Amino acid sequence: MRRFLPFVVILILWIIFFLPIFQGSTLFDDTIEQFYPAFYFFTESLKRGQIPFFNHHLFSGFPFLNEPQYFALNPFFIIRLTVGLIKNSLYAYNFLVSLNYLAGFLFAYLFLRKRFDDLISLFGATVYIFSMNHITTIVHPHVFDLIPLIPLIFYFLDDRPYISAILLGIGFHTGHPQKPLYILLSIVIYYLFLISKDRSKLKTLVLYLVVVAPFVFAYYFQAKDLFSFSERLEWNIKALLESSYHIDKFVSLIIPKFYGSIEEGAVYVGGPYHFYMQMSIYFSIPALIFAIYGIINNRQALEVKAYTLIVLLMFFLALGDQNPIINIVYSTGIIKGLRDPVRALHILPIFVSILSSYGLKSFLEDRDIKTVLKVAVSILILSFIFLLQKPPIDNSGEILKFFLLLAGTYVLVYALKERDAIALSLTALAFIDLYSAGNPYIRRKIDVERYYNPDYISPIKPQYLGYYRINARFERGMVLPRNSGMINGLELADGYEPLISRFYISFYRFMINRVEGYEKLLSMANVKFYAYERGFLENKENLPRACLFSNTEVVEDSATFFENLPNYDVKTTLYLQDNPKGDYKEPQPCKAVKILNYDYDKIELSYKSDKPAILYVSLPIYPYWKAEVDGKETKILRANWTFMALEVPKGSNTVEIFYDKKPLIVSITLWLVGLFLGLGFGLFLKR
C-alpha cells in the first residue's frame, strides 16, 4: 500500500490545485487571446480536411505552420491536437493544459525517486511542479509543454543519455527556444564535471550534442525565412533587457507578491503584473531552507556541486542590464532578439527540487536542528533590508505569511520525531504555501461565447472567406479579443502576431495610432468595417480583396511611403517597392478580380483585361508564397508596402497563389533525423 501512496497524493494535490479548471475556469491572457484561438482554428481546419499553412485571421495574415508556437513538434502538442479533433472547447483546452502539470508532477517524482525515497521525492516533486514560475506562466505553451519534459530529460541523462538528448531536442519544439537553450547549457556544465572524473564522458557529450543538433536545426528551418524577414520591434539594449532580475529584487524569492500582484484588476503590461510573471521564481520557504541546507551538507557530491554552479550561473545571466558582460555582448549585436534575460531562472525549479530533496534527506539522517535554524535566520537577515521597501501593492499579508512559514518550518523539524511525519508535514506545508500563492491565479470565468462572438458582430459576418477585413481596434481599445477571428470567422486587420514583418511595422503602428493617412491604410488592407465600442462603422472606400491596377508608382523607402501617405490615391494607383518589368501609367479605378477559391494554402483568381496590368491581392507578402499565371511562375512584388502584386498579361487568365510546403517538410525530416540518431546511438552503443 505504501508504494502507491505517493501516486495517490500526487493525484489529490493536482486536483486540489487545479480545481478551478474543472469548475470551468477559462484561464486568461494569452490563452484566450492567442493560443486557444490558434488551437481552435487548427483543429477546425483539420476537421474540414484542410491543413492551414497560412492564417488569414490575424492582422492581415501570416504563415501559420511556420510559426513554432502554433505548430510545435512535441508530444503534448500532438495530444492536445488529437483530443481537440473530438472536443475543442476552451474548457477542454484548459483541462488538457492542466494534464501537463499532472504529467510533470509524476515525471518529477519518478526522476527524484532514482535518488531518494518515496516521501522525499514527493516533497521535491511538489516543489517542482507548483513553483510560482510554472504557475504564473500557465498561459504560455512554451512553458507548460516544457514542464513535463524537463524531469524526463534529467531522468534519462545518466543511464540513457541519448534518450535524454531526444527529449531535450523535442524541448526546442515547445514554441520558445530560449529555455531549452538554458537547459542545454546546464547539461554541458554537468557533463564537464563528469568529464573531470571520467574522460570517456567526453564522447557521450559530443554524441549528445549530435543528437540535439537536428532538432535545433528543425526549429530553425521551420521559421528561418520568417526570422530573416521579420522583427517585432526595433530592439535596443534597453528593450532586450526590459525584464532582467535585479539584485534589489532578491525578496521576490521569498515573498510572492512583493513586487507585483496576481489579483485580477492589476493586469497591465509593463506594470506589476508583467513584472510578476517574469520574476515569480518562488519555490516556498521550506524548499528554500532545505535547498540551502542540502548544498551545505552535500557540498562534496559532484551532482550538488554541478547544480549549485548552474543555479549561480543562471542568476548571473538573469541579471541582464545589471550584468556588465551581458550588456557588452548585447551591444556587439552578437545576440539579437533574446528578450527577458530573467527567463534564465525559469529552469531553476528542477534544480531547487533536487537540492531541497538532498537537504531533506540529509536532515532526516543527521537531525541537525542548529544548521536549519542558522539557514532560516540567514534568510531572515538577508530579507530584512528588502522588507523595508514599499512595493506598489499592499503585501502585508504575504510578509506575515513569510514569517509564519519560516517559523512553521523550524517548529516542524524541531517538534516532530518520526521520519515520515517530518517529510509529509513539510510537503503539506510547501503545498499550502504554493497553493495560497498560485491557485488564485487560475481562477477566472468568462462568458466564452459572448467573449469571442459579441451580439453586434452577427449582422456583418461575411458569407464566405475572402470578402473583407475588419479593423478591430478603435479609439478606446480592442472591441474584439485579439485573434478571435480564428473562432468567429472574421478576418481582423488588428491582432497579435509575434512575427510582424519589418515591412509593415510602420503600417501596423499607423493603424493603431490613427495618424493622418490612416483611412488610406484601411483601404489598402481591404478593411470594410472598423469597430468601436458597440458595433462597426463602414469604410466605403475599401479596395476589393483582389483587383487590377493600370497605374503604378515605385516608392522604395519606408519613410517616404508614410510621409506621403495622406496624398496617395489608393483607388487608382498601386505603390510598389519593386520596379516592375512593364510600364503602367494609366490612372483609372482598379477593377475587381473574381475570387474562385480562397483558403489556407491556395488562392485562385480569374480576370479579364484588354492590356497588361498589375494584379493586387491584399494579402501580406511573406516567404513561402509562390504564384503562377496560367501555369507559368510569376514573381511576387511588394505592393502598398506590405501586400502582394503580380504583373499579369492581357486576356482572360487564371492566377494561382499557393503556399510552398517544402521548408516545413525539411523541418519535419530534420526532426525525424534527430529521433533516429538518438535511438540509433542508444541501441548501437549499448550493444
Side-chain angles (χ1 to χ4, degrees), residues 443-456:
R443 295 177 192 160
R444 180 169 177 174
K445 283 188 178 182
I446 60 171
D447 184 338
V448 177
E449 182 59 31
R450 285 183 177 271
Y451 185 73
Y452 292 117
N453 292 282
D455 296 336
Y456 54 78

Side-chain angles (χ1 to χ4, degrees), residues 157-158 161-162 165 187-188 191-192 194-212 677 680-687:
L157 186 59
D158 290 320
Y162 308 117
I187 288 172
V188 169
Y191 262 104
L192 291 177
L194 294 178
I195 291 166
S196 68
K197 300 288 185 182
D198 180 0
R199 292 292 180 87
S200 67
K201 293 295 183 181
L202 177 59
K203 176 185 175 183
T204 306
L205 174 58
V206 171
L207 293 178
Y208 191 99
L209 297 175
V210 168
V211 173
V212 172
L677 277 176
F681 286 166
L683 291 172
F684 177 76
L685 295 176
K686 189 175 182 181
R687 289 179 182 177

Side-chain angles (χ1 to χ4, degrees), residues 55-102:
N55 178 4
H56 304 294
H57 297 289
L58 279 74
F59 188 45
S60 297
F62 79 103
F64 188 70
L65 298 189
N66 289 88
E67 163 59 274
Q69 291 187 109
Y70 300 145
F71 183 61
L73 294 168
N74 69 73
F76 300 100
F77 171 83
I78 294 169
I79 289 170
R80 275 200 307 282
L81 204 62
T82 303
V83 176
L85 292 173
I86 303 168
K87 182 72 172 178
N88 61 6
S89 70
L90 180 55
Y91 301 109
Y93 179 83
N94 290 337
F95 176 73
L96 292 168
V97 169
S98 73
L99 286 178
N100 281 42
Y101 288 79
L102 178 60

Side-chain angles (χ1 to χ4, degrees), residues 544-616:
R545 175 57 59 90
C547 58
L548 289 174
F549 280 90
S550 299
N551 190 52
T552 63
E553 183 179 328
V554 176
V555 184
E556 297 181 357
D557 178 70
S558 176
T560 303
F561 178 84
F562 288 103
E563 284 172 9
N564 294 295
L565 185 60
N567 302 319
Y568 289 160
D569 182 356
V570 299
K571 285 288 188 180
T572 64
T573 304
L574 190 63
Y575 299 90
L576 301 175
Q577 184 198 3
D578 310 290
N579 285 296
K581 293 180 180 178
D583 187 26
Y584 307 95
K585 297 297 180 185
E586 297 182 24
Q588 54 185 313
C590 71
K591 180 181 177 183
V593 167
K594 186 175 182 181
I595 299 174
L596 304 176
N597 179 56
Y598 189 93
D599 58 31
Y600 302 113
D601 68 346
K602 185 169 61 175
I603 299 169
E604 293 176 285
L605 312 162
S606 69
Y607 72 90
K608 186 175 182 180
S609 177
D610 57 3
K611 57 191 172 186
I614 295 278
L615 173 61
Y616 174 64

Side-chain angles (χ1 to χ4, degrees), residues 79 220 287 310 334 451:
I79 289 170
Y220 170 72
I310 290 166
I334 295 173
Y451 185 73

